[in-house]
Amino acid sequence: MTTPLLPKLIDDYAEKYTSQELPVLAALNRETNMKRGDAVMLSGHLQGAFLQMLSQMIRPKCILEIGTFTGYSAICLAQGLRDGGHLHTIEIDEELEDMSSRYFKKAGLKDKIVQHIGIASEIIPSINKAFDMVFIDADKPNYELYYDLVFDKVPVGGYILADNVLYDGEVVLPKEQRSKNARAIHSFNKKIKADKRVEHLLVPVRDGLMIVRKVKKN
């Protein structure tokens, strides 16, 4: 996500009237922006608070995150875990592991977050868990694959979230003007709309968040 979809004044106002960013998240936000040229991938204060609120409402026992990056969204999501709950997070870039691990420890979540490094499509089948909540925020062409891989691991009543489903606003452009990633995201959105096993809501926060609730197995 590179293009703000909300006017900056509105975005700033929303952040001002949202609960203050946790100190550990503010520090992670700052370090990510100082050290990473791709810091725009970080969820940030407003979306992070939204994810945290959702997790606190759902109170999941087990969460799967596909795409750790520097760990911001994992920390937000983990705030809503039930006692004894765990969050599994998958990241393909091994160079990010030390940074995210360091902040998980600072957040007091070292024992609640399980880090996996490698290819998500290979790791997901190997995690023998049921997930009350899944957050997809990784390579866009594989969103549909990840959805299919996690669907049977989510119980009826569980949630699947997907980030960047507006993809810089490109999803509303004519097909020939969309980038490869935007075309993949549009295809994913159509897949969700056609899936009669779920209820879904596309929320235009930040770069778009798809909230999917599983209502039946088949």
Side-chain angles (χ1 to χ4, degrees):
M1 182 264 191
T2 57
T3 306
L5 298 180
L6 282 177
K8 188 175 186 306
L9 283 175
I10 298 296
D11 198 61
D12 290 346
Y13 185 88
E15 286 199 10
K16 181 178 179 180
Y17 289 96
T18 294
S19 295
Q20 189 172 356
E21 194 174 33
L22 295 174
V24 67
L25 290 173
L28 175 54
N29 197 336
R30 183 166 54 252
E31 183 172 344
T32 301
N33 277 279
M34 287 174 58
K35 294 183 176 180
R36 300 287 306 189
D38 53 359
V40 69
M41 291 169 58
L42 186 117
S43 289
H45 178 202
L46 191 61
Q47 182 174 326
F50 187 72
L51 292 173
Q52 178 174 320
M53 185 73 76
L54 284 177
S55 185
Q56 288 170 332
M57 292 166 66
I58 295 167
R59 300 297 292 169
K61 182 72 173 180
C62 196
I63 301 172
L64 174 64
E65 177 185 54
I66 306 170
T68 313
F69 192 45
T70 57
Y72 193 101
S73 54
I75 292 173
C76 294
L77 290 167
Q79 301 304 312
L81 283 169
R82 294 183 221 163
D83 290 343
H86 290 88
L87 181 148
H88 290 256
T89 184
I90 304 170
E91 175 57 50
I92 194 169
D93 187 350
E94 62 184 13
E95 293 183 3
L96 291 167
E97 184 178 12
D98 288 345
M99 185 174 177
S100 55
S101 180
R102 178 159 45 87
Y103 276 93
F104 294 157
K105 185 176 181 180
K106 285 184 178 182
L109 297 169
K110 182 181 178 182
D111 295 331
K112 290 187 175 183
I113 296 179
V114 182
Q115 292 181 268
H116 303 265
I117 302 298
I119 299 171
S121 60
E122 298 175 358
I123 293 172
I124 293 168
S126 74
I127 305 175
N128 188 26
K129 300 284 184 182
F131 298 107
D132 305 302
M133 192 176 193
V134 175
F135 182 45
I136 303 172
D137 187 15
D139 50 316
K140 311 313 169 193
N142 277 321
Y143 267 35
E144 293 186 56
L145 172 61
Y146 298 147
Y147 181 80
D148 290 338
L149 287 173
V150 303
F151 195 85
D152 287 342
K153 292 177 176 285
V154 176
V156 171
Y159 290 81
I160 300 172
L161 314 178
D163 197 14
N164 305 115
V165 292
L166 293 177
Y167 205 77
D168 290 350
E170 284 189 40
V171 290
V172 301
L173 295 177
K175 183 177 180 180
E176 63 275 10
Q177 294 181 29
R178 297 177 197 145
S179 63
K180 176 183 176 182
N181 281 347
R183 291 195 298 271
I185 288 295
H186 182 62
S187 178
F188 172 78
N189 291 339
K190 289 198 298 181
K191 178 184 180 74
I192 300 303
K193 183 177 181 180
D195 193 340
K196 303 304 182 185
R197 303 169 297 175
V198 302
E199 297 172 343
H200 52 94
L201 171 67
L202 197 162
V203 183
V205 61
R206 195 167 176 265
D207 195 30
L209 188 69
M210 181 70 82
I211 303 174
V212 178
R213 179 173 177 266
K214 184 172 177 178
V215 295
K216 54 185 178 180
K217 294 180 180 179
N218 299 304

